[in-house]
């Protein structure tokens, strides 16, 4: 009998906010969204991501004129939301997203879904498109938002960083943890809302590039055209880590700049470098032994040169009018790529503030004898914290903790209809000659030994030439990208963090393999083709 079956009798008194539910014909995908917070979510984590992201996305679409003000709300039924949760993992509700995104100038619903999930749902519900007059009105509003976007983003980034240093990193007392949770929630909505503006703008810019490539029958060149633009924020973190490893920067300064990153950083229950700088120890040790030619800025310079050569090759095939269109689309894409990483860093500061407030509240409840451990607070949701009865919640925590342990043994399909049948984490072992397919995210090839990494802080450092294989990545994985020769990721899309950083460093990358980290083993030898989106097994480690 499973933990779920054993605890079924407790359902009348103990709820499970992260199990989820779906109507029979609803279509969901885990593509891309799983990257933001890949680990199993606790109820408090979902209290931030579920309502917070819903309000943020709907608010963004309202600013773009795609939704009315009465449509910016959180429906109590996740079937009517843009995202839901199943067995502790997030999924996107494709059909309402298709309907709304189709209203954005320069993007069709099909283009968005293909870029997100890699395939189209064959039985998608039809929807009524905007009239020409409505489309013109939305386009006018979008241009007004676009004109102010970069300045609003810069102002938000500055404000978020100042708040994080003042109220989180250098805070001297716990204050009112519940009020701090609410403030961090509001800052999450604000920052991820502006970040979502950037994500829509980058999809529109990329769509223009794809259309030009299709018109010249050169779709294969798109990954090279968007391979590296330089000046991406996360690479500055990589450069600082290199300086830290070589004694050119002290840990206090590094944490002051980047301490909101860390283990499972998109999940409030994770650990940030602010809390435990020792999480960086193995990576620092590995970087000390690397040649100066592997400095992230040197690698990025090489990637930028290759990108510019690809642009020159493509321009030779275009008309003068098409070259002008390409230049505008590449400029918009470059700006959006840089702003994507800035926006992501800003909502991570909000998550770290939420994390700090939650742990301070957990300490308070431990002192009151209501929790056994400070991290047990993550098994309560925001409503339960706000409606605090003063009673012990240890039984509820034990029930939800057992559920979370069970869910960690599950995976969700990349796409599914209705309530998913969870997949157990037990993939078939890859054999010589097998080809693991995904999405080509950075066009280059590399042959090397596989190194499976489950956590960014794993002690086993990558050796020169190793292929980093993992389930998902977030900005805290950037140091590992600096050590890798190629990257293979189970979850993600061409616009996800792992894909962007791989392109900026010139690393071959295949993403959205689904179960590559389960099928491969340490020491297997593979050929990674970032153009074709394939990982070919050349030899297996018999001891693996």
């Amino acid at each position: 009998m499973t933990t779920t079956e054993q605890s079924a009798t407790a359902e009348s008194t103990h709820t499970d906010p992260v199990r989820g539910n779906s109507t029979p014909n609803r279509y969901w995908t885990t593509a891309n969204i799983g990257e933001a917070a890949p680990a199993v979510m606790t109820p408090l984590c979902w209290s931030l991501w579920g309502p917070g992201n819903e309000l943020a996305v709907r608010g963004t679409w309202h600013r773009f004129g795609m939704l009315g003000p009465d449509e910016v709300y959180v429906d109590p039924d996740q079937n009517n939301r843009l995202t839901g949760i199943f067995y502790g993992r997030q999924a996107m509700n494709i059909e309402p997203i298709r309907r709304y995104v189709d209203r954005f100038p320069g993007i069709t619903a099909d283009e968005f879904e293909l870029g997100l999930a890699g395939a189209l749902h064959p039985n998608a519900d039809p929807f009524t498109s905007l009239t020409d007059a409505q489309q013109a009105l939305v386009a006018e509003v979008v241009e007004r938002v676009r004109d102010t976007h970069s300045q609003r983003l810069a102002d938000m980034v500055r404000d978020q960083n100042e708040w994080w240093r003042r109220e989180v990193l250098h805070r001297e007392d716990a204050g009112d943890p519940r009020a701090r949770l609410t403030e961090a929630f509001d800052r999450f909505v604000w920052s991820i809302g502006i970040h979502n503006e950037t994500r829509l703008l980058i999809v529109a810019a990329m769509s223009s590039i794809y259309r030009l490539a299709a018109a010249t029958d050169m779709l294969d060149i798109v990954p090279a055209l968007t391979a590296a633009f330089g000046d991406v924020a996360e690479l500055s973190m990589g450069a600082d880590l290199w300086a830290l490893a070589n004694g050119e920067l002290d840990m206090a300064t590094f944490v002051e700049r980047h301490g909101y990153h860390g283990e499972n950083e998109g999940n409030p229950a994770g650990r940030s470098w602010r809390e435990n700088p020792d999480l960086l120890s193995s990576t620092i040790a590995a970087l000390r032994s690397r040649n100066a030619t592997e400095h992230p800025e040197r690698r990025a310079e090489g990637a930028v040169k290759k990108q510019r050569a690809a642009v020159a090759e493509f321009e030779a095939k275009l008309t003068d009018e098409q070259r002008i269109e390409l230049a505008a689309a590449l400029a918009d894409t470059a700006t959006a790529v840089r702003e994507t990483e800035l926006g992501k860093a800003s909502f991570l500061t909000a998550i770290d503030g939420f994390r700090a407030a939650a742990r301070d509240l957990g300490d308070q409840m431990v002192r009151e004898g209501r929790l056994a451990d400070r991290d047990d607070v993550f098994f309560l949701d925001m409503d339960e914290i706000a409606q605090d009865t003063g009673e012990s919640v240890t039984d509820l925590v034990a029930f939800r903790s057992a559920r979370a342990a069970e869910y960690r043994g599950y995976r969700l399909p990349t796409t599914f209809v209705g309530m998913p049948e969870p997949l157990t984490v037990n993939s078939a072992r890859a054999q010589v000659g097998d080809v693991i397919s995904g999405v080509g995210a950075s066009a280059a090839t590399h042959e090397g030994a596989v190194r499976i990494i489950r956590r960014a802080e794993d002690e086993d450092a990558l050796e020169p030439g190793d292929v980093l294989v993992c389930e998902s990545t977030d900005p805290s994985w950037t140091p590992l990208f600096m050590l890798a020769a190629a990257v293979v990721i189970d979850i993600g899309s061409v616009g996800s963090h792992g894909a962007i950083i791989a392109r900026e460093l010139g690393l071959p990358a295949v993403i959205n393999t689904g179960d590559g980290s389960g099928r491969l083993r340490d020491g297997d030898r593979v050929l990674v083709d970032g153009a074709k989106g394939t990982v070919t097994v050349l030899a297996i480690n018999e001891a693996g």
Side-chain angles (χ1 to χ4, degrees), residues 78-126:
Q78 76 171 21
N79 289 279
N80 299 321
R81 294 189 193 177
L82 306 174
T83 62
I85 194 165
F86 299 93
Y87 306 106
R89 300 185 189 274
Q90 294 188 86
M92 295 179 71
N93 193 352
I94 285 290
E95 289 180 4
I97 292 175
R98 280 176 53 88
R99 183 167 64 251
Y100 294 133
V101 168
D102 196 69
R103 301 174 182 177
F104 191 84
I107 305 173
T108 68
D110 285 355
E111 287 173 341
F112 181 82
E113 186 180 346
L114 276 171
L116 180 71
L120 292 176
H121 179 40
N123 300 310
D125 289 341

Side-chain angles (χ1 to χ4, degrees), residues 224-288:
L225 295 176
T226 58
F229 295 104
D231 198 26
V232 171
E234 297 308 332
L235 294 188
S236 69
M237 183 254 281
D240 280 350
L241 187 58
W242 187 283
L244 178 64
N246 289 279
E248 300 164 3
L249 190 72
D250 61 85
M251 180 62 81
T253 302
F254 182 85
V255 171
E256 184 87 13
R257 295 175 182 173
H258 311 290
Y260 49 85
H261 291 297
E263 177 187 40
N264 191 19
E265 61 188 28
N267 193 317
R271 295 277 175 186
S272 66
W273 297 334
R274 166 187 60 82
E275 296 174 293
N276 185 8
D278 289 342
L279 292 169
L280 291 163
S281 297
S282 61
T283 302
I284 290 172
L287 284 174
R288 287 196 185 107

Side-chain angles (χ1 to χ4, degrees), residues 32 35 199 202 340-341 493-497 499-500 503 511:
N32 201 28
E35 181 196 46
R199 296 305 295 260
I202 195 173
T340 292
E341 296 307 297
S493 70
V494 292
S496 61
H497 170 266
I500 290 173
R503 289 193 292 268
I511 59 174

